[in-house]
Amino acid sequence: GDSVTQMEGPVTLSEEAFLTINCTYTATGYPSLFWYVQYPGEGLQLLLKATKADDKGSNKGFEATYRKETTSFHLEKGSVQVSDSAVYFCALTEANKLIFGTGTLLAVQP
Amino acid sequence: DTGVSQNPRHKITKRGQNVTFRCDPISEHNRLYWYRQTLGQGPEFLTYFQNEAQLEKSRLLSDRFSAERPKGSFSTLEIQRTEQGDSAMYLCASRVLEAEAFFGQGTRLTVV
């Protein structure tokens, strides 16, 4: 079946540093791709999405581009803040359901 | 709209007992999903409903697990004869067709 692979964490950065969290996927078709974020003590929230190749999803300064040739959807942010500390999940759709990666913990230090 | 609501937030039970969790989706969301999340892992799909019909169950789902969505509104997830390996966070999500899925805060189950 389809699957998602994320870089392992934790990722520890200083405030204002550049962030990249790698995500690659395996899929038989052309899924939509998502990044979800889970802040401490809260449920998962959709951060951004892309529905077809070369689409760029963006929200709150985060960006990710759907790369079919490399089957990737890496998450980037130019300048992280302490408030960005959370667990980030890459996901894809397969037959009406979401398939998630294992998550990457991001810790931003002041 | 208050979002997806899950109850209880926490449940501690003894091994062998039955437990039931409830999920109230966002009104008019016709699709409802159950996921399980263990520490350090991403959410794992369990089952989903479109309206009141249960359309898919994970092959990993033991027959001790059952879910219902009477009248296509709230849903319950029951685990019979709980085992320590059932300890996890159980997440519910709802959506309208292929639109964004909204997640509840989850029910954390601890089996002792």
Side-chain angles (χ1 to χ4, degrees):
Chain A
D2 296 357
S3 64
V4 175
T5 302
Q6 286 182 240
M7 65 185 287
E8 291 192 13
V11 174
T12 304
L13 296 173
S14 298
E15 208 165 21
E16 300 184 1
F18 184 85
L19 168 71
T20 300
I21 300 178
N22 291 337
C23 171
T24 57
Y25 66 91
T26 302
T28 52
Y30 300 98
S32 294
L33 301 174
F34 305 82
W35 278 99
Y36 277 80
V37 59
Q38 188 172 33
Y39 298 104
E42 298 186 15
L44 279 80
Q45 302 173 26
L46 178 65
L47 180 59
L48 54 84
K49 69 178 182 181
T51 57
K52 61 184 186 298
D54 299 324
D55 267 3
K56 177 186 284 188
S58 61
N59 186 26
K60 300 181 181 179
F62 291 90
E63 294 183 339
T65 300
Y66 190 143
R67 301 285 188 201
K68 192 175 72 170
E69 63 276 13
T70 54
T71 61
S72 65
F73 193 55
H74 304 321
L75 182 68
E76 296 182 336
K77 187 175 185 183
S79 176
V80 293
Q81 305 300 312
V82 172
S83 58
D84 294 326
S85 298
V87 181
Y88 292 81
F89 293 94
C90 186
L92 60 76
T93 50
E94 179 198 66
N96 301 318
K97 62 183 182 285
L98 288 166
I99 305 297
F100 289 87
T102 54
T104 302
L105 174 63
L106 171 65
V108 180
Q109 298 175 337
Chain B
D1 199 323
T2 57
V4 178
S5 177
Q6 291 190 246
N7 288 287
R9 293 290 308 278
H10 303 274
K11 178 71 177 179
I12 300 174
T13 190
K14 292 183 178 179
R15 190 175 51 187
Q17 297 294 305
N18 299 343
V19 294
T20 300
F21 310 140
R22 177 177 170 124
C23 171
D24 287 272
I26 294 172
S27 58
E28 299 180 357
H29 278 197
N30 58 346
R31 288 187 180 169
L32 185 148
Y33 299 78
W34 286 99
Y35 285 81
R36 176 172 60 194
Q37 185 179 17
T38 53
L39 197 62
Q41 299 296 314
E44 173 190 34
F45 170 78
L46 295 179
T47 188
Y48 101 93
F49 294 82
Q50 181 154 311
N51 301 315
E52 65 275 12
Q54 188 173 19
L55 296 188
E56 187 174 348
K57 287 175 62 173
S58 169
R59 285 170 293 176
L60 302 175
L61 201 61
S62 158
D63 58 7
R64 296 182 297 104
F65 287 68
S66 62
E68 294 183 340
R69 192 184 183 197
K71 301 178 184 178
S73 56
F74 71 92
S75 177
T76 57
L77 177 69
E78 180 182 17
I79 308 174
Q80 296 183 327
R81 305 181 302 282
T82 52
E83 302 172 357
Q84 286 190 318
D86 297 331
S87 295
M89 177 76 84
Y90 290 84
L91 300 171
C92 177
S94 70
R95 72 198 301 199
V96 177
L97 296 178
E98 297 300 314
E100 176 184 350
F102 291 83
F103 283 80
Q105 292 185 294
T107 295
R108 182 170 296 284
L109 172 66
T110 302
V111 181
V112 297

Coordinates of all heavy atoms in Angstrom, one line a residue, chain A residues 36 38 41-44 46 89 95-98 100-102, chain B residues 31 33 35 37 41-42 45 48 56 95 98 100-101 103 105:
Chain A
Y36 N 0.4 18.0 8.6 CA -0.4 18.3 9.8 C 0.5 18.7 10.9 O 1.7 18.2 10.9 CB -1.3 17.1 10.2 CG -2.6 17.0 9.4 CD1 -2.6 16.4 8.1 CD2 -3.8 17.4 10.0 CE1 -3.8 16.3 7.5 CE2 -5.0 17.3 9.3 CZ -5.0 16.8 8.1 OH -6.1 16.6 7.4
Q38 N 0.8 19.1 15.3 CA 0.2 18.7 16.5 C 0.9 19.5 17.6 O 2.1 19.1 18.0 CB 0.2 17.2 16.8 CG -0.5 16.7 18.0 CD -0.6 15.2 18.0 OE1 0.3 14.5 17.6 NE2 -1.7 14.7 18.6
G41 N -0.6 18.8 23.7 CA -1.9 18.8 24.3 C -3.1 19.0 23.4 O -4.2 19.1 23.8
E42 N -2.8 19.2 22.1 CA -3.9 19.5 21.1 C -4.0 18.4 20.1 O -3.2 17.5 19.9 CB -3.6 20.9 20.5 CG -3.6 22.0 21.5 CD -3.5 23.3 20.8 OE1 -3.7 23.4 19.6 OE2 -3.2 24.3 21.5
G43 N -5.1 18.5 19.3 CA -5.3 17.6 18.2 C -4.5 18.0 17.0 O -3.9 19.0 16.9
L44 N -4.6 17.1 16.0 CA -3.9 17.5 14.7 C -4.6 18.6 14.0 O -5.8 18.6 13.9 CB -3.8 16.2 13.8 CG -2.7 15.2 14.1 CD1 -3.1 14.3 15.2 CD2 -2.4 14.4 12.9
L46 N -4.5 20.8 10.2 CA -4.0 20.8 8.9 C -3.1 22.1 8.8 O -3.6 23.2 9.1 CB -5.1 20.9 7.8 CG -4.6 21.0 6.4 CD1 -3.8 19.8 5.9 CD2 -5.8 21.3 5.4
F89 N 3.5 16.1 11.0 CA 3.2 14.9 10.3 C 3.0 15.1 8.8 O 2.1 16.0 8.4 CB 1.9 14.2 10.8 CG 2.1 13.8 12.3 CD1 1.7 14.6 13.3 CD2 2.6 12.5 12.5 CE1 1.8 14.1 14.6 CE2 2.7 12.1 13.8 CZ 2.3 12.9 14.9
A95 N -7.4 6.2 -1.2 CA -8.8 5.7 -1.2 C -9.6 6.2 0.0 O -10.1 5.5 0.8 CB -8.7 4.1 -1.0
N96 N -9.7 7.5 0.0 CA -10.6 8.3 0.9 C -10.0 8.3 2.4 O -10.7 8.9 3.2 CB -12.0 7.6 1.0 CG -12.6 7.7 -0.4 OD1 -12.5 8.7 -1.1 ND2 -13.3 6.6 -0.7
K97 N -8.9 7.8 2.7 CA -8.3 8.0 4.0 C -6.9 8.5 4.0 O -6.3 8.5 3.0 CB -8.3 6.6 4.7 CG -7.4 5.6 4.1 CD -7.6 4.3 4.9 CE -6.6 3.2 4.3 NZ -7.2 2.7 3.0
L98 N -6.5 9.1 5.1 CA -5.2 9.7 5.2 C -4.2 8.6 5.8 O -4.5 7.9 6.7 CB -5.2 10.9 6.2 CG -5.9 12.1 5.7 CD1 -6.2 13.1 6.8 CD2 -5.1 12.8 4.6
F100 N -0.4 8.5 7.3 CA 0.5 9.4 8.0 C 1.9 8.8 8.1 O 2.1 7.6 8.2 CB 0.1 9.7 9.4 CG -1.1 10.6 9.5 CD1 -2.4 10.1 9.4 CD2 -1.0 12.0 9.6 CE1 -3.5 10.9 9.5 CE2 -2.1 12.8 9.7 CZ -3.4 12.3 9.6
G101 N 2.9 9.7 8.1 CA 4.3 9.4 8.5 C 4.3 9.3 10.0 O 3.4 9.5 10.7
T102 N 5.5 9.0 10.5 CA 5.7 8.8 11.9 C 5.8 10.1 12.7 O 5.8 10.1 14.0 CB 7.0 8.0 12.2 OG1 8.1 8.6 11.6 CG2 6.8 6.6 11.7
Chain B
R31 N -18.3 12.2 6.5 CA -17.3 11.1 6.7 C -16.7 11.3 8.1 O -16.3 12.4 8.6 CB -16.2 11.2 5.7 CG -16.6 10.8 4.3 CD -15.5 10.7 3.3 NE -16.1 10.3 2.0 CZ -15.4 10.3 0.9 NH1 -14.1 10.8 0.9 NH2 -15.9 9.9 -0.2
Y33 N -13.8 9.3 10.8 CA -12.6 8.3 10.8 C -12.2 8.1 12.2 O -12.2 9.0 13.1 CB -11.4 9.0 10.0 CG -11.7 9.2 8.6 CD1 -12.4 10.4 8.2 CD2 -11.2 8.4 7.6 CE1 -12.6 10.6 6.8 CE2 -11.4 8.7 6.3 CZ -12.1 9.8 5.9 OH -12.3 10.0 4.5
Y35 N -8.7 6.7 14.2 CA -7.3 6.4 14.1 C -6.7 6.1 15.5 O -7.3 6.5 16.5 CB -6.5 7.6 13.6 CG -6.6 7.9 12.1 CD1 -7.7 8.6 11.6 CD2 -5.6 7.5 11.2 CE1 -7.8 8.9 10.3 CE2 -5.7 7.8 9.9 CZ -6.8 8.5 9.4 OH -6.9 8.7 8.1
Q37 N -3.0 6.2 17.7 CA -1.7 6.8 17.7 C -0.9 6.3 18.9 O -1.4 6.5 20.1 CB -1.7 8.3 17.6 CG -0.4 9.0 17.5 CD -0.5 10.5 17.4 OE1 -1.5 11.1 17.8 NE2 0.6 11.1 16.9
Q41 N 4.8 7.5 17.0 CA 4.3 7.0 15.7 C 3.2 8.0 15.2 O 2.6 8.8 16.0 CB 3.6 5.6 15.9 CG 4.6 4.6 16.3 CD 5.7 4.4 15.3 OE1 5.5 4.3 14.1 NE2 7.0 4.3 15.8
G42 N 3.0 7.9 13.9 CA 1.9 8.7 13.3 C 0.6 8.0 13.5 O 0.5 6.8 13.9
F45 N -4.7 4.3 10.7 CA -6.1 4.2 10.3 C -6.7 2.9 10.9 O -6.1 1.8 10.8 CB -6.2 4.2 8.8 CG -7.5 3.8 8.3 CD1 -8.6 4.8 8.3 CD2 -7.9 2.6 7.8 CE1 -9.8 4.5 7.8 CE2 -9.1 2.2 7.3 CZ -10.1 3.2 7.3
Y48 N -13.5 3.8 8.8 CA -14.2 5.0 8.5 C -15.6 4.8 8.1 O -16.0 3.7 7.6 CB -13.4 5.9 7.5 CG -13.8 5.8 6.0 CD1 -14.7 6.8 5.5 CD2 -13.2 4.9 5.2 CE1 -15.0 6.8 4.2 CE2 -13.6 4.9 3.8 CZ -14.5 5.9 3.3 OH -14.8 5.9 2.0
E56 N -14.9 1.0 5.5 CA -13.6 0.3 5.5 C -13.1 0.1 6.9 O -13.3 0.9 7.8 CB -12.6 1.1 4.7 CG -11.2 0.4 4.5 CD -10.3 1.1 3.6 OE1 -10.7 2.1 2.9 OE2 -9.1 0.8 3.6
R95 N -14.9 14.9 8.0 CA -14.7 15.7 6.9 C -15.9 15.7 6.0 O -16.8 14.7 6.1 CB -13.5 15.3 6.1 CG -13.6 14.0 5.4 CD -12.4 13.3 4.9 NE -11.5 14.1 4.1 CZ -10.5 13.5 3.3 NH1 -10.3 12.2 3.4 NH2 -9.7 14.2 2.6
E98 N -14.0 15.0 0.2 CA -12.5 15.0 0.1 C -11.9 16.3 0.7 O -10.8 16.6 0.5 CB -12.1 14.9 -1.3 CG -12.4 13.6 -2.0 CD -11.8 12.4 -1.2 OE1 -10.6 12.5 -0.9 OE2 -12.5 11.4 -0.9
E100 N -10.9 19.1 3.8 CA -10.0 19.0 4.9 C -10.6 18.2 6.0 O -11.8 18.3 6.4 CB -9.7 20.4 5.5 CG -8.9 20.4 6.8 CD -8.7 21.8 7.3 OE1 -9.1 22.8 6.6 OE2 -8.2 21.9 8.5
A101 N -9.8 17.3 6.6 CA -10.2 16.5 7.8 C -9.9 17.2 9.1 O -8.8 17.8 9.2 CB -9.5 15.1 7.8
F103 N -9.6 17.0 13.2 CA -9.4 16.0 14.2 C -9.9 16.5 15.6 O -9.7 17.7 15.9 CB -7.9 15.7 14.3 CG -7.4 14.8 13.2 CD1 -7.1 15.2 12.0 CD2 -7.3 13.4 13.5 CE1 -6.7 14.4 11.0 CE2 -6.8 12.6 12.5 CZ -6.5 13.1 11.2
Q105 N -9.4 16.0 19.9 CA -8.2 16.0 20.7 C -7.8 14.6 21.2 O -6.7 14.4 21.7 CB -8.4 16.9 21.9 CG -8.4 18.4 21.5 CD -8.5 19.3 22.7 OE1 -9.5 19.3 23.5 NE2 -7.5 20.1 23.0

